Amino acid sequence: MKPELKVGLLFFIGLALILTFTLFVTDWHSGGSDFSVRFPRVSRLKQSDGVTYNGVRVGSISAVTPVLSDDGRPLVEVKFTVDNNKRKAVLIDAKTEFRIVQGLLGGATMEISSSGGHPLKAQGDLAGLVGTEPIGIDETLSSVRAMIDENRAEVREAIKSLRSGIKNFGEMSGEIRDVVKENRGAIGDAVTNVGSMSEAIRQVVKENQAALKTAMDNLSAMLAENRESVKTAVLHIGGAAANIEAAVGDNRDDLRKVMAGLANAAPRLDKISANLELITQQVAEGKGTIGKLVMEDTLHTKSVQAVDSFNQRLEEVKPVTSGFSQLKFIGGIDYGTNVSSGSSTSSAYIRIEPRSWKFYQAGASYRTEPDSRTSVREDPDKLHVDFTFVLGWRFLANDAQQNYRLSIAAGLVETQLGGWVETPVWRDRLALRVLLRHKDNGRDTDDRRYEKGQAMLRATAELRLWQRVSLIAGGDDLIDKPGLWVGVRGELLDNDLRNMVTLAAFKP
């Protein structure tokens, strides 16, 4: 029998065993979601999106369905699951809040916020709890537009009031000038009265000369009694006067310039006052750019048109952006080694999932030579890595466990034609994978990447220990030289980035 026929027969036998194992082990008749809560409405929430409790992911969305309340109101029922190992830490009481949080990169998450209560055990613990409505950018713009439409009359009245105020200010300036002109005689009389008041003061001093003399004698006696203190004070005053005189002497030219500047500024102030009066008058009459801006409704009309145009552009791009919001990006790295031969493979990849049942995966890998081979030195100017690009499909959806019972991928695997088949055997914790690809046997035997034989068959089991870290173990090179294969894999989902950005920027 030819080697190619052996490889094909062995591959289909392994695939049949995996399918048989899946059909008998997987629970086909398991129930639906563990819990459900109702919302007035949701935004961008879909199946397989995350469920967080106080910012920590504890489960995922299993279904989003429109329903009717007992009184006939339309509601949205969101079914979700909570991981068994985290359910005791999810506390629920009458103050617990359920809300939909939208990420900056698209998608949504159902967030549970609680500060106490009892552990979530059954659906009855959620009785009477209703989620809050989400708020997005489209709702915000609609609210702004509605507010402008509702207050259009008040805005127009405010602009008219501003116009009247500017007009009144201009009229008031003219009235002040007229008042000064009309009362020029009264102002002159006031100056004359100041002179008359000086003469009256002189007469009062003359009539009270004796009293003033007595006061001066008392002041002389007081100065005689306090001569030393007065002398000291006079010396201090003299020193201060000398300092002031010296400062004035040093800055005599600057003071003269300041006084000259004040004298020169007086005519300019008159001009500024006249110009200000002219400007306010023209604004009140609706002349010039500022006058038209204040007195006409053009600015208000164009503002409303701009908001309407922006709203229309958003509606036009929604069909385009809605597809991007459903994309999922998963980045990962893994490392594995054949314990028997000593050859190891390190790789980095990115997986794009436009739909939950379809994915594309591309990456690069580096494979070392076996311990028994001494490979030649490679050209440092060339890129000595292998590339992977496969197209994958998932079949047989399992709603209870939130996964698919069978995944198949085909394309280039480490720069060779190949593919793999994968199936879960225990929820999302344990999965089996069978990988088959053509061997890289077209190179020199002392080349690092040379492989002996026709086909590489690897069967492994992957156990997820933590949220994003898994251990891998199984058999490698099962056709030509079987050996133990062990490895580790780590992945980072786009939901991790969305949750970090959401917690940092949109925390209520």
Side-chain angles (χ1 to χ4, degrees):
M1 183 180 295
K2 295 183 179 180
E4 291 83 357
L5 185 58
K6 293 181 180 178
V7 172
L9 183 61
L10 183 60
F11 173 78
F12 285 106
I13 291 175
L15 180 59
L17 291 175
I18 291 174
L19 291 175
T20 303
F21 184 83
T22 301
L23 294 176
F24 283 95
V25 173
T26 304
D27 184 7
W28 288 78
H29 304 285
S30 57
S33 302
D34 294 333
F35 307 99
S36 65
V37 65
R38 294 186 173 186
F39 288 80
R41 65 184 184 85
V42 299
S43 179
R44 301 181 183 177
L45 189 69
K46 61 184 182 302
Q47 182 181 356
S48 76
D49 281 343
V51 176
T52 64
Y53 175 75
N54 291 341
V56 179
R57 181 170 178 133
V58 297
S60 59
I61 302 297
S62 57
V64 181
T65 308
V67 297
L68 293 176
S69 63
D70 296 335
D71 55 357
R73 292 184 297 107
L75 297 174
V76 178
E77 185 178 65
V78 177
K79 296 182 180 180
F80 64 99
T81 60
V82 178
D83 297 340
N84 291 331
N85 58 347
K86 300 176 182 176
R87 189 173 297 177
K88 293 182 179 179
V90 179
L91 303 182
I92 301 296
D93 59 9
K95 297 181 180 179
T96 301
E97 295 182 358
F98 293 79
R99 53 179 173 265
I100 307 302
V101 179
Q102 297 183 18
L104 289 179
L105 303 180
T109 301
M110 189 181 78
E111 182 178 89
I112 306 174
S113 298
S114 175
S115 58
H118 55 275
L120 179 61
K121 295 181 179 179
Q123 177 62 35
D125 298 334
L126 303 179
L129 296 178
V130 179
T132 58
E133 290 193 13
I135 298 178
I137 185 172
D138 45 353
E139 289 86 359
T140 303
L141 289 175
S142 298
S143 300
V144 172
R145 181 181 177 184
M147 182 180 65
I148 292 175
D149 291 337
E150 292 174 0
N151 298 276
R152 192 183 298 266
E154 287 79 4
V155 173
R156 185 177 290 107
E157 289 298 327
I159 294 176
K160 290 181 179 179
S161 300
L162 177 62
R163 179 169 52 192
S164 300
I166 294 176
K167 183 178 181 180
N168 293 336
F169 178 79
E171 293 174 355
M172 183 180 65
S173 299
E175 292 175 359
I176 293 173
R177 183 183 58 189
D178 295 337
V179 168
V180 173
K181 184 184 296 184
E182 294 171 0
N183 296 276
R184 191 182 302 274
I187 295 174
D189 294 338
V191 175
T192 303
N193 291 335
V194 172
S196 301
M197 186 177 61
S198 301
E199 182 64 26
I201 293 173
R202 188 182 300 110
Q203 185 66 28
V204 170
V205 171
K206 185 177 181 180
E207 292 173 357
N208 295 277
Q209 190 169 2
L212 290 174
K213 183 179 180 182
T214 302
M216 293 299 294
D217 292 340
N218 293 335
L219 181 59
S220 299
M222 185 181 65
L223 290 175
E225 293 175 1
N226 298 278
R227 188 179 302 276
E228 294 299 327
S229 299
V230 173
K231 183 179 180 181
T232 303
V234 170
L235 292 175
H236 286 301
I237 293 174
N243 292 333
I244 293 174
E245 183 179 2
V248 172
D250 294 340
N251 297 278
R252 191 179 302 277
D253 295 337
D254 294 335
L255 291 174
R256 187 179 292 109
K257 291 180 180 179
V258 171
M259 297 301 295
L262 291 175
N264 295 331
R268 297 179 183 175
L269 292 175
D270 293 337
K271 286 185 177 181
I272 292 174
S273 177
N275 292 335
L276 180 61
E277 180 180 354
L278 178 60
I279 290 172
T280 55
Q281 182 179 356
Q282 290 182 349
V283 171
E285 294 175 356
K287 297 180 179 180
T289 302
I290 298 178
K292 292 180 180 179
L293 183 64
V294 173
M295 309 305 288
E296 298 180 1
D297 294 337
T298 305
L299 176 62
H300 174 267
T301 304
K302 289 187 176 181
S303 300
V304 174
Q305 290 176 352
V307 173
D308 293 340
S309 178
F310 182 64
N311 236 354
Q312 186 178 359
R313 298 292 84 77
L314 285 179
E315 294 296 331
E316 291 175 357
V317 301
K318 271 186 178 180
V320 180
T321 58
S322 60
F324 290 104
S325 63
Q326 297 179 1
L327 284 175
K328 285 190 176 181
F329 295 86
I330 299 94
I333 56 174
D334 61 20
Y335 172 81
T337 183
N338 187 317
V339 178
S340 302
S341 65
S343 176
S344 61
T345 302
S346 305
S347 63
Y349 60 88
I350 183 171
R351 186 168 66 251
I352 303 175
E353 299 183 0
R355 297 290 186 273
S356 60
W357 48 268
K358 185 179 181 180
F359 64 89
Y360 304 91
Q361 181 166 320
S365 60
Y366 183 87
R367 185 174 66 250
T368 63
E369 70 275 8
D371 294 337
S372 60
R373 182 190 310 162
T374 301
S375 53
V376 296
R377 183 177 181 275
E378 297 175 334
D379 187 355
D381 296 331
K382 295 183 178 180
L383 187 63
H384 300 282
V385 296
D386 294 313
F387 297 97
T388 296
F389 182 81
V390 297
L391 173 61
W393 297 268
R394 297 186 177 103
F395 304 94
L396 305 177
N398 187 343
D399 295 334
Q401 298 185 9
Q402 294 298 302
N403 57 18
Y404 288 84
R405 295 182 174 87
L406 180 64
S407 298
I408 298 177
L412 286 180
V413 179
E414 297 179 5
T415 323
Q416 302 295 326
L417 290 177
W420 66 76
V421 179
E422 184 174 332
T423 181
V425 295
W426 177 48
R427 296 179 63 86
D428 59 347
R429 294 289 183 178
L430 181 63
L432 299 179
R433 173 182 289 192
V434 175
L435 181 147
L436 179 66
R437 65 169 175 83
H438 190 273
K439 280 191 173 182
D440 199 353
N441 54 9
R443 302 177 181 273
D444 296 334
T445 56
D446 56 356
D447 190 283
R448 171 179 58 84
R449 289 184 284 179
Y450 171 76
E451 293 177 310
K452 183 179 180 181
Q454 297 295 324
M456 162 62 73
L457 178 62
R458 181 184 299 153
T460 56
E462 180 176 345
L463 177 64
R464 184 165 62 87
L465 298 180
W466 295 284
Q467 190 69 15
R468 300 289 181 261
V469 180
S470 304
L471 291 180
I472 302 171
D476 185 45
D477 201 3
L478 297 177
I479 299 177
D480 296 313
K481 192 177 181 181
L484 176 62
W485 178 268
V486 293
V488 62
R489 175 180 292 119
E491 291 187 336
L492 181 65
L493 279 69
D494 58 350
N495 275 336
D496 301 327
L497 298 175
R498 283 202 295 264
N499 291 336
M500 288 188 291
V501 174
T502 301
L503 290 175
F506 291 100
K507 186 64 178 175

